[in-house]
Every structure is written in structure tokens, then in C-alpha cells.
Amino acid sequence: MTNLANKIKIKTAQISLIVGLFIFFVKISAFILTNSSAIFSDAAESIVHILATAMVLYSIILSARPPDKSHLYGHGNIEYFSAGVEGLLIIIAALTIIYFAVSDLILGSHPNQLDTGTILISIAGIINIFLGFWIVRKGKQTNSLALVADGKHILTDAYTSIGIVFGLILVLITNIFIIDPLVAIFVATNIIFTGYKLIRESVGGLMMKTDNDLLNQIGGLLNKIRTNYLIDVHQLRFWKSANKVFVDFHLTLPYFFNIKQSHEIEENILENFQNSISNSEIRIHLDFCTPKHCKHCNFDTCEVREENFTNLIEWNNSKLLEEPIIKTSERD
């Protein structure tokens, strides 16, 4: 499954790069014909898209490498870095667009052949809409933040093109040329917001920010496989790296379970996780119960119980992340 996912990601990034080059030539042709500030803003964003997609392709190839002595958890975090660089490039492009648009406002803007330019930008926008949604879908399918970021960038590019088309049509109707650089500034402002979101997501991934959706999924799975001899789960930790999910937690079992029993329980949990969360790697630290656990344990066939069961601990998200119900210092 991992090899297939990597092949899908690489092929998707390659298609994005090829189509991005085609779109850039369409837009730069439209700019040369029209000398429009708005069309220049669209063409500038396409340059960023080409550079960013090239980096996405590189990051996907690098993230597919297996773990080594220098990167024990693999190379998947390069995708977060890629998304952050893409966000930074987007912001740089937006500031460049604003600079030239303000210059046109001061010096005056006189675009020409806007009818042809409008048609070319419309074609580019329509292609990008289909391409962007397809890449986002492939990114979610393969758990690739880099592809999802690339797809969202392309969709932003498409919506930008649509806004520019309406602005150019307005210029054609009114013959008020100042609208052209004003549209470019509006487009650039929107692009800055997109770049900021990409950088925020990238930093969140690199800092291993808690993914609440994944936490809910893990919590639901643990409750699904819970049995009466699984006494306590605590100190849950998890993080994502590209399309891999790493999970570790502590699990308290009856102290009299032998190694074979404990190993079979662990194998069952691992199988359930791998069936529910693709490309997941699980580490379980096994703890043993003490008499102080008896009131929280409803293992009805226990023959060494010292206290009646009275309180089943709810395995909600907060509990899973917290310390054990009986701390190590309280075990004796």
C-alpha cells in the first residue's frame, strides 16, 4: 500500500508540474498581449506554482525513502517543510504583484487586447479548477500534506483567475483602466492569506500540533477494542509524518498475565490499528496492575481481586492523554 501511495503521489505531482508549465505559458502570453496588471498578478502566481510543485515532487520522492540511522522515523516531515516554503513563495509573489500594481496606479495603466487576454485567462482558470480538485483528492487519498497544499494553491489560482476575468470584463465595459491594478491588489491580498494558511499548517505539522480528528479516530478505535482485562490506557502520543501515523501509549494489564498472553493482546491491538489507520506504526508500553486498580477493573474472572469493582474509567480523549489512574509512586 505504501509503495502504491508513493507512486500515486509522484505521478500526481508530475502531472501538476506539467499542467502548471502549460498554464504559465498561457498566462504569460496573455500578459504580453495585454500588459494588464491583473493578468501579470495571475502569471506571477503561476511562476510560484511551478517552483512550489517542483519542490513538492522532490519532497514526495525524498519522503518515500525508508528510515535510516540519521532519520529513524523516515523523511516524511519534508512535506511539511515543502508546504511552508510554498506558502512563503506565495507571499513573496503577492508582495511583488502589489508593488507593480501600485506603480501602475501612480504612473497609469493602459492595457490592450483585453478581450483576447480575458479568454486566455478564462481557459487557464477552468483547467486549474479541475486540476486543483483532483490533486486535493489525491492528496487526501495518500495522506500527503504537500499534495493537498499544492491542490489548494491551484484552486486559489483558479479562483483568482475567475476574479480577474470579471475585473477585465468590467474594464472592457466601462473603459476605466484603473480597475485593472485595483483588481491585481485585491488578488494579491487574497494570495497573502492563502500563503499564511499554508505556513501555519506547515509549522503546526513540524511542531507536531495535536490533530483532533486523528485523536478522535484513535480514541474511538481504542474504545471499540476495549475488553474487561484492558484496565487502563494512558500517556497516548501520536504524530503524522507524510502518509505515516505513529502512535504510542501505555496499557495496563492484569499482573498475572504471562508474556504469551500479553503478546497476543498487543498483536490484536496492532492489527486493529493497521486495519483502521493505514500506514500506522504502533508502540505499546505494557504496565501491570496492583490491588489499587481492583475497583477500576471489571475483569470478572480475576481470582486475585482484593476489592470489588465499583468505578469503570471512561476512555475519553482527555483521559487517554493523561497520566495513569494509579501513578507509579502510588503503586506500593
Side-chain angles (χ1 to χ4, degrees), residues 96-158:
T96 303
I97 292 166
I98 291 173
Y99 172 80
F100 284 103
V102 170
S103 296
D104 284 342
L105 281 174
I106 296 172
L107 302 175
S109 174
H110 300 285
N112 48 66
Q113 297 189 58
L114 287 182
D115 49 352
T116 304
T118 301
I119 293 171
L120 290 175
I121 296 300
S122 298
I123 294 171
I126 291 170
I127 293 173
N128 271 340
I129 285 176
F130 286 103
L131 179 66
F133 278 118
W134 180 72
I135 291 175
V136 169
R137 187 172 73 250
K138 290 296 182 181
K140 290 180 178 179
Q141 176 186 336
T142 56
N143 263 343
S144 172
L145 174 65
L147 278 182
V148 171
D150 191 48
K152 287 181 177 179
H153 181 192
I154 293 170
L155 285 173
T156 299
D157 194 7

Side-chain angles (χ1 to χ4, degrees), residues 70-91:
S70 299
H71 304 84
L72 298 178
Y73 287 100
H75 304 76
N77 275 7
I78 185 65
E79 292 201 16
Y80 294 119
F81 181 73
S82 171
V85 170
E86 181 168 0
L88 180 61
L89 289 173
I90 289 172
I91 291 175

Side-chain angles (χ1 to χ4, degrees), residues 8-295:
I8 292 172
K9 290 195 291 185
I10 291 171
K11 183 178 179 181
T12 302
Q14 288 172 335
I15 292 173
S16 177
L17 183 58
I18 292 169
V19 176
L21 286 167
F22 171 75
I23 293 295
F24 169 70
F25 284 118
V26 170
K27 291 181 179 181
I28 201 66
S29 299
F31 170 65
I32 292 171
L33 283 171
T34 63
N35 196 35
S36 162
S37 296
I39 292 179
F40 170 76
S41 70
D42 215 9
E45 191 177 6
S46 287
I47 295 174
V48 173
H49 171 228
I50 292 169
L51 294 174
T53 302
M55 185 167 184
V56 166
L57 179 58
Y58 171 73
S59 73
I60 288 172
I61 293 172
L62 182 60
S63 68
R65 292 181 183 176
D68 54 36
K69 291 182 179 180
S70 299
H71 304 84
L72 298 178
Y73 287 100
H75 304 76
N77 275 7
I78 185 65
E79 292 201 16
Y80 294 119
F81 181 73
S82 171
V85 170
E86 181 168 0
L88 180 61
L89 289 173
I90 289 172
I91 291 175
I92 292 172
L95 295 176
T96 303
I97 292 166
I98 291 173
Y99 172 80
F100 284 103
V102 170
S103 296
D104 284 342
L105 281 174
I106 296 172
L107 302 175
S109 174
H110 300 285
N112 48 66
Q113 297 189 58
L114 287 182
D115 49 352
T116 304
T118 301
I119 293 171
L120 290 175
I121 296 300
S122 298
I123 294 171
I126 291 170
I127 293 173
N128 271 340
I129 285 176
F130 286 103
L131 179 66
F133 278 118
W134 180 72
I135 291 175
V136 169
R137 187 172 73 250
K138 290 296 182 181
K140 290 180 178 179
Q141 176 186 336
T142 56
N143 263 343
S144 172
L145 174 65
L147 278 182
V148 171
D150 191 48
K152 287 181 177 179
H153 181 192
I154 293 170
L155 285 173
T156 299
D157 194 7
Y159 301 146
T160 296
S161 297
I162 293 171
I164 288 171
V165 166
F166 282 110
L168 294 176
I169 290 173
L170 193 58
V171 173
L172 286 168
I173 293 173
T174 63
N175 210 34
I176 301 175
F177 295 118
I178 198 175
I179 293 174
D180 181 53
L182 289 176
V183 169
I185 292 172
F186 174 78
V187 166
T189 304
N190 182 55
I191 293 172
I192 288 175
F193 181 67
T194 301
Y196 163 74
K197 288 197 297 183
L198 282 177
I199 292 174
R200 187 179 63 182
E201 289 179 15
S202 171
V203 171
L206 289 171
M207 295 296 293
M208 295 183 182
K209 182 180 179 181
T210 301
D211 184 332
N212 288 320
D213 290 335
L214 182 56
L215 174 59
N216 289 334
Q217 186 178 5
I218 293 172
L221 181 57
L222 286 172
N223 277 280
K224 180 181 177 182
I225 62 181
R226 184 178 188 178
T227 63
N228 59 5
Y229 51 77
L230 301 183
I231 302 170
D232 184 30
V233 170
H234 49 276
Q235 293 179 328
L236 169 67
R237 301 291 182 266
F238 59 92
W239 66 101
K240 295 174 68 175
S241 179
N243 63 331
K244 284 192 172 185
V245 178
F246 298 93
V247 182
D248 69 69
F249 55 86
H250 289 234
L251 174 65
T252 304
L253 296 176
Y255 75 86
F256 50 83
F257 276 19
N258 59 39
I259 294 177
K260 181 175 182 295
Q261 287 175 294
S262 301
H263 181 72
E264 288 174 349
I265 292 169
E266 185 177 7
E267 286 296 311
N268 178 62
I269 293 173
L270 294 180
E271 183 179 353
N272 274 277
F273 264 90
Q274 289 163 359
N275 289 337
S276 300
I277 304 176
S278 60
N279 296 322
S280 58
E281 293 190 14
I282 317 301
R283 296 289 182 270
I284 305 174
H285 178 87
L286 296 178
D287 293 332
F288 59 90
C289 73
T290 68
K292 292 184 178 181
H293 286 91
C294 289
K295 64 180 179 180

